Amino acid sequence: MALRSYVNGSWATPSAQGAPLLDAVTGEQVATISSAGIDMGAALEYGRAAGGPALRELTFHQRAAMLKSVGLFLREYRAELYSLSARTGATLLDSKLDVDGGIGVLLSYASKGRRDLPNDTVLLDGDAEQLSKDGQFLGQHFFTPRHGVAVQVNAFNFPVWGPLEKFAPAFLAGVPSLVKPARSTAYLTARLVELIVESGLLPEGSLQLVCGSAGDLFDHLTDQDLVSFTGSASTAQRLRTKPTVVARAVPFNAEADSLNCSILGPDAAPGTPEFDLYVRQLVTEMTVKAGQKCTAIRRALVPDSLLDAVAEAASARLAKVVVGNPADESVQMGALASLDQRDEVRRSLKALLSAGTAVFGDPEHVEVVDADAHRGAFMSPVLIRADDAGRAGPHEVEAFGPVSTVIGYRDTAHAIDLAARGLGSLVGSVVTGDADFARDVVIGVAPWHGRLLVLDQDDAAESTGHGSPLPMLVHGRAGARRWAVSAASPTTCSAPPSRPARGCSRRLPAAGCRAANAPSTGPIRSGSRLPSCGWEIRSWPGRGR
Ligand code: NAP
């Protein structure tokens, strides 16, 4: 089956033989992929000419209602999406994260659109500014949608959630989307878009899909378009420096590699609930989606005195993880998304192992259930113990698979320094029952991190965990390690202010916790972080920003 693209209001079959896409578990061919024959410029123009005007006629509430209808519609097709997702190597739990998570994003944005935005087509930005003595001459800032297309380039690891997470805010903002999935799992995104198109719930032109290479897509971008990218830092670098992007100042938002850390407090010795929480979370983050999560813990920072205990406890848990065919109910970790991806992880592991020792797992060997370990992209979880906390490898190399490195720190300042060595990560966590330690670490690492989870025995039962991106919170600022660091840190604290967790809102400055809920309670204002959506600030009368 050749994957089709959805452009210019119809389904396009590739004009040339495509590259094969293989089942990550069995190695069988699932589909072929090629974008040959697609006129990228025409697709962008169609989005601008058909999708944009149709969306701009609708109020926020009407767009929100459509997002909700699509979310409810997709819920009826979850079983089909799960079974296709299994072919990407995902277990049922992994598939639910991707599919239900993606549907959840649609419903969350629908609800935010109805609650936080007006039933209007423009959004006021703050109060009117008095510009004259008598108040007859006023200024008012407001937001209107851009007149371009939101080009959304996605990574392979979340073929449903990834596109929906970008599409929902763009749609709510009144900007049409053109989705380009990563090739290895594009068959799942293609089915998702097929379902949405079949539903007939969205205005024509508001969602397009290009399966296969982006070709000359970027050459046709204008200053009204924008790009939202998820993937590796090196691809982001290539795309954001494309001549058209630079010359036309096309807004470019990148979510790239992230060397997330999880810091264990010195108080959390073996036998404490926090120690167990830490080890359980580390193993979960290594094995869910076979570690192919942008939020997975890559660096486990623990006090020097607890290094052995953490390595041993995590290894004991990892030894119980059953790897194999996700269709088998006993299996807890499936395959990586492709054989290429497994090769890539093994390559990255070489760099990591030059700076440490594997305390669990063999990168070249794994026992699997109900599958062929060579035909499928299977791999053992690998836990590494860093020989020297200061060596570059674990702070610079991301092995995008079931891999993590345990690193010892001397004291709080050293832990903060090591966390910062990742040069900005999407999410971090601090696991401790010591409020002062939590406070020092949160404030110390804030300039480098997106979302920070403070985890202890009090909030553990309600916490969604280190690796769950929540549509109500800022996703993070991954990729910052390769790009300029912004002055305003969007650090959020995941503990709910209404029921403060120990070490969180009781001790942190109140603003730290209020920030966590800011996107859901306040109006979207100038500087709000909806980077992929396409808001534009227009000033009247003529005051620039
Ligand atoms: P990738 O190789 O960089 O690819 C990402 C996307 O870019 C794919 O859709 C790819 O398409 C596309 N692409 C590559 N070259 C392109 C070009 N010249 N023009 C236009 N598009 C191009 O990354 P990946 O292997 O899919 O994903 C793994 C990486 O994603 C990891 O490093 C991970 O950290 C990162 N990630 C980050 C987040 C986050 O939120 N921070 C989330 C998930 C993943 P093709 O597949 O067709 O080449």
Side-chain angles (χ1 to χ4, degrees):
M1 175 189 71
L3 293 186
R4 296 178 303 163
S5 293
Y6 187 69
V7 285
N8 304 315
S10 59
W11 287 99
T13 304
S15 60
Q17 175 76 26
L21 299 180
L22 306 185
D23 185 309
V25 179
T26 63
E28 289 162 12
Q29 182 170 310
V30 182
T32 58
I33 187 167
S34 166
S35 60
I38 294 179
D39 182 337
M40 301 292 174
L44 285 174
E45 197 41 50
Y46 183 75
R48 293 180 203 118
L55 284 171
R56 291 196 295 274
E57 266 183 16
L58 303 171
T59 67
F60 293 110
H61 287 195
Q62 288 172 316
R63 292 178 211 141
M66 287 178 178
L67 285 180
K68 183 172 179 183
S69 311
V70 173
L72 296 178
F73 175 84
L74 289 175
R75 268 159 80 154
E76 304 305 315
Y77 291 88
R78 279 179 294 181
E80 182 191 343
L81 294 171
Y82 295 159
S83 68
L84 207 46
S85 167
R87 307 200 75 176
T88 71
T91 63
L92 184 57
L93 175 70
D94 298 339
S95 300
K96 286 183 174 181
L97 276 181
D98 188 27
V99 175
D100 296 28
I103 293 171
V105 170
L106 292 180
L107 299 178
S108 287
Y109 272 92
S111 141
K112 289 180 68 58
R114 272 197 327 277
R115 270 200 333 253
D116 301 347
L117 297 171
N119 193 17
D120 202 339
T121 54
V122 296
L123 178 66
L124 299 187
D125 177 22
D127 297 331
E129 302 278 353
Q130 186 165 330
L131 302 175
S132 66
K133 195 165 156 228
D134 294 337
Q136 294 302 311
F137 182 49
L138 299 173
Q140 174 69 58
H141 298 96
F142 63 93
F143 296 92
T144 66
R146 302 176 77 86
H147 282 211
V149 171
V151 172
Q152 297 157 4
V153 181
N154 292 296
F156 67 84
N157 57 338
F158 282 101
V160 175
W161 178 84
L164 293 181
E165 174 238 13
K166 293 185 173 76
F167 165 74
F171 187 88
L172 188 57
V175 179
S177 298
L178 187 150
V179 174
K180 196 216 102 50
R183 70 185 60 211
S184 59
T185 55
Y187 50 88
L188 180 48
T189 310
R191 181 62 189 140
L192 171 78
V193 173
E194 213 170 68
L195 285 170
I196 296 175
V197 171
E198 278 170 12
S199 78
L201 291 166
L202 299 184
E204 186 42 57
S206 58
L207 176 61
Q208 299 189 83
L209 170 78
V210 170
C211 287
S213 152
D216 63 358
L217 178 69
F218 278 62
D219 297 341
H220 299 282
L221 294 174
T222 69
D223 59 343
Q224 285 295 305
D225 302 315
L226 66 151
V227 179
S228 303
F229 170 86
T230 303
S232 61
S234 56
T235 308
Q237 172 86 19
R238 265 207 313 282
L239 297 184
R240 77 184 322 157
T241 52
K242 287 225 171 216
T244 317
V245 174
V246 174
R248 298 184 183 163
V250 179
F252 190 104
N253 182 64
E255 298 182 6
D257 308 359
S258 196
L259 290 159
N260 310 297
C261 65
S262 181
I263 303 175
L264 180 68
D267 58 299
T272 62
E274 280 77 17
F275 181 87
D276 294 339
L277 285 169
Y278 185 85
V279 171
R280 201 180 318 143
Q281 175 173 269
L282 174 60
V283 171
T284 300
E285 290 299 320
M286 287 178 71
T287 53
V288 168
K289 292 226 73 174
Q292 301 165 110
K293 279 193 338 185
C294 46
T295 52
I297 298 169
R298 303 292 173 206
R299 299 176 301 147
L301 304 181
V302 307
D304 279 331
S305 59
L306 299 180
L307 199 50
D308 288 337
V310 171
E312 275 165 31
S315 298
R317 271 189 167 266
L318 287 168
K320 294 185 190 148
V321 172
V322 180
V323 182
N325 186 344
D328 188 300
E329 281 183 9
S330 68
V331 165
Q332 292 156 302
M333 189 177 104
L336 300 188
S338 66
L339 293 171
D340 285 349
Q341 190 54 28
R342 183 174 66 184
D343 291 345
E344 176 66 34
V345 174
R346 285 178 174 160
R347 270 195 296 276
S348 302
L349 263 167
K350 288 208 171 93
L352 294 178
L353 286 170
S354 69
T357 313
V359 291
F360 183 88
D362 176 348
E364 304 294 331
H365 179 77
V366 61
E367 294 292 333
V368 296
V369 170
D370 190 21
D372 179 333
H374 298 289
R375 284 179 67 82
F378 295 100
M379 177 168 184
S380 166
V382 179
L383 184 66
I384 300 164
R385 180 190 157 127
D387 297 332
D388 170 357
R391 291 278 291 276
H395 305 293
E396 292 184 359
V397 177
E398 183 196 38
F400 202 63
V403 178
S404 197
T405 304
V406 192
I407 303 167
Y409 69 80
R410 290 186 301 277
D411 52 27
T412 309
H414 191 211
I416 293 169
D417 279 352
L418 291 174
R421 291 278 303 276
L423 293 182
S425 63
L426 195 58
V427 55
S429 54
V430 192
V431 186
T432 181
D434 179 341
D436 292 328
F437 179 77
R439 182 187 187 285
D440 290 347
V441 169
V442 168
I443 291 173
V445 306
W448 288 273
H449 289 268
R451 180 163 48 92
L452 278 170
L453 167 70
V454 180
L455 184 65
D456 67 7
Q457 56 188 293
D458 292 339
D459 68 355
E462 292 190 334
S463 162
T464 48
H466 171 105
S468 303
L470 301 168
M472 297 73 93
L473 296 181
V474 175
H475 186 31
R477 48 191 276 270
R481 71 199 199 93
R482 303 286 161 95
W483 319 121
V485 176
S486 69
S489 166
T491 295
T492 57
C493 167
S494 293
S498 53
R499 191 169 169 276
R502 279 196 297 140
C504 176
S505 49
R506 223 170 43 207
R507 289 297 189 100
L508 290 168
C513 277
R514 275 207 299 276
N517 281 350
S520 62
T521 54
I524 297 172
R525 304 174 71 87
S526 163
S528 289
R529 281 174 289 276
L530 283 177
S532 48
C533 71
W535 290 108
E536 188 178 17
I537 301 167
R538 290 281 165 81
S539 303
W540 180 86
R543 196 176 85 171
R545 276 200 171 186

